[in-house]
Amino acid sequence: MTVQARTLDISALADKLRGGDRAALARAITLVESVKPEHQAQARELVQKLLPHTGKAMRVGITGVPGVGKSTTIDTLGSNLVQAGQKVAVLAVDPSSTRTGGSILGDKTRMVRLSAERNAFIRPSPSSGTLGGVAAKTRETMLLCEAAGFDVVVVETVGIGQSETTVADMTDFFLVLMLPGAGDELQGIKKGVLEIADMIAINKSEGEGRNRAVAAAGEYRAALHIMQPASPNWSPPVVLISGLDNIGLDEMWAKVVEHRRCFEASGEFAQKRRAQQVKWMWTMLEERLHGRLRRDPQVKSRLHELEARVAEGALSPTLAVEDISTLLGL
């Protein structure tokens, strides 16, 4: 979809988006994802206009290794929530094609039930090489969905790299999906993921996998028990679910709601949201500086020479950085 920079009426777009116009929401997301400077300026204006109408949604991050059943679980959970009267948006951060930069997983094809719901919105977003595979504009897209009236915003990560930490920093609740049969998997799981999890759900716990799931849950509970909780007001629970058979998902969501209620009562919810806003500011500042580094013609012409000299051992990385910093006036 092409956004016409010269004719776009930001106020009209904001009004349509707030009225629940899905085409306006899609157009707004395309605008914030654009790398063109004129589009970025308009996106900043749009987000600022909509900011007073954001912040009420449940922001839930969901991760898990490939094959754990993230999309199936989100499809079923989202459908349950829609049937209960909620409006659900899913921002699925796809690994990008290294050749075209486009999304390659096609989440709408993996969330068949939810994509057919009127009160659901699914947006695959290419990671485009950003840190941890998380789309650079996911935060802005989340705000746009909130302004459009969505009650729940789910951010699905690719489950690799540092995307888990990045998504945990932009959501209220971070859910980690695991497979039955912890055993070797528990030995290899990144400790950092357990440290930031607000809940662990053992998926595919139906049928023959039930006993292995129960055993896995016991091992994860033991692992969490010896770790310091991220919050004194919440001990991450371990639950058994089946996204495919819709088992345990209502109980799992009840824990998400309980977490929100608990954190609002303690004041930790508002504190966390404020901290996330400041972190968002610094992230965007770093991206802006990195963009200038890549676009500045004087720096670009010098970079290739410096890279070659550093690679050959003729110049230390420290002196190369100093040279670039001087060119940028830093």
Side-chain angles (χ1 to χ4, degrees):
M1 183 185 298
T2 302
V3 180
Q4 299 296 328
R6 295 178 181 174
T7 60
L8 188 59
D9 185 333
I10 295 300
S11 294
L13 180 61
D15 289 341
K16 287 181 179 179
L17 186 148
R18 286 188 57 211
D21 188 316
R22 297 170 70 90
L25 175 58
R27 193 180 191 193
I29 295 173
T30 298
L31 185 69
V32 302
E33 288 180 348
S34 174
V35 296
K36 294 183 178 179
E38 63 270 26
H39 291 170
Q40 291 177 353
Q42 291 177 325
R44 289 192 291 271
E45 180 186 349
L46 177 64
V47 171
Q48 185 61 36
K49 278 183 178 295
L50 294 172
L51 203 57
H53 310 286
T54 66
K56 295 180 181 178
M58 304 271 282
R59 303 172 181 175
V60 180
I62 298 182
T63 193
V65 296
V68 76
K70 291 190 297 293
S71 294
T72 301
T73 300
I74 294 170
D75 188 29
T76 307
L77 174 64
S79 299
N80 290 350
L81 292 172
V82 168
Q83 293 302 315
Q86 305 265 37
K87 291 186 67 178
V88 180
V90 178
L91 309 181
V93 183
D94 276 355
S96 297
S97 163
T98 54
R99 189 161 58 88
T100 65
S103 298
I104 60 178
L105 290 186
D107 287 83
K108 287 192 177 183
T109 63
R110 296 182 293 131
M111 300 181 191
V112 181
R113 288 178 57 202
L114 192 58
S115 62
E117 296 282 359
R118 283 189 57 202
N119 286 326
F121 181 83
I122 302 173
R123 179 76 177 205
S125 184
S127 60
S128 303
T130 55
L131 178 63
V134 178
K137 301 300 182 181
T138 301
R139 289 179 177 88
E140 289 96 328
T141 302
M142 187 164 57
L143 294 180
L144 295 177
C145 290
E146 290 184 348
F150 286 91
D151 307 299
V152 178
V153 181
V154 174
V155 183
E156 177 194 1
T157 82
V158 294
I160 54 177
Q162 296 178 5
S163 58
E164 294 92 348
T165 303
T166 309
V167 170
D169 283 341
M170 70 172 76
T171 53
D172 306 319
F173 191 94
F174 192 63
L175 170 64
V176 178
L177 297 183
M178 295 292 191
L179 290 165
D184 296 335
E185 184 188 351
L186 184 58
Q187 301 300 320
I189 195 70
K190 289 179 290 184
K191 182 183 177 185
V193 174
L194 294 182
E195 287 177 337
I196 60 177
D198 292 306
M199 177 164 56
I200 290 177
I202 314 297
N203 195 24
K204 304 185 180 181
S205 300
E206 73 280 359
E208 295 178 359
R210 184 72 182 181
N211 290 337
R212 288 185 293 118
V214 170
E219 293 191 44
Y220 284 120
R221 289 189 185 103
L224 288 168
H225 183 71
I226 62 175
M227 294 172 61
Q228 182 70 29
S231 167
N233 300 305
W234 185 258
S235 296
V238 179
V239 298
L240 303 182
I241 66 165
S242 170
L244 183 64
D245 290 345
N246 199 3
I247 297 172
L249 296 186
D250 288 343
E251 293 81 358
M252 182 182 78
W253 185 252
K255 293 290 185 184
V256 179
V257 174
E258 181 187 345
H259 177 274
R260 172 74 171 254
R261 190 163 48 239
C262 176
F263 271 47
E264 283 182 336
S266 68
E268 196 169 350
F269 178 80
Q271 180 183 356
K272 184 176 182 179
R273 283 278 181 98
R274 287 193 295 267
Q276 287 176 344
Q277 288 290 91
V278 173
K279 188 168 289 189
W280 180 14
M281 180 193 77
W282 279 104
T283 299
M284 288 194 295
L285 178 60
E286 290 167 3
E287 288 173 0
R288 183 75 65 88
L289 290 172
H290 190 266
R292 183 183 168 191
L293 176 67
R294 293 297 182 188
R295 288 191 302 267
D296 189 290
Q298 190 178 9
V299 174
K300 282 177 70 175
S301 62
R302 184 84 171 123
L303 267 178
H304 294 298
E305 177 192 344
L306 291 173
E307 285 177 348
R309 293 183 63 194
V310 169
E312 293 167 359
L315 180 69
S316 74
T318 304
L319 286 178
V321 170
E322 185 63 28
D323 193 331
I324 296 168
S325 298
T326 300
L327 285 174
L328 289 172
L330 300 177

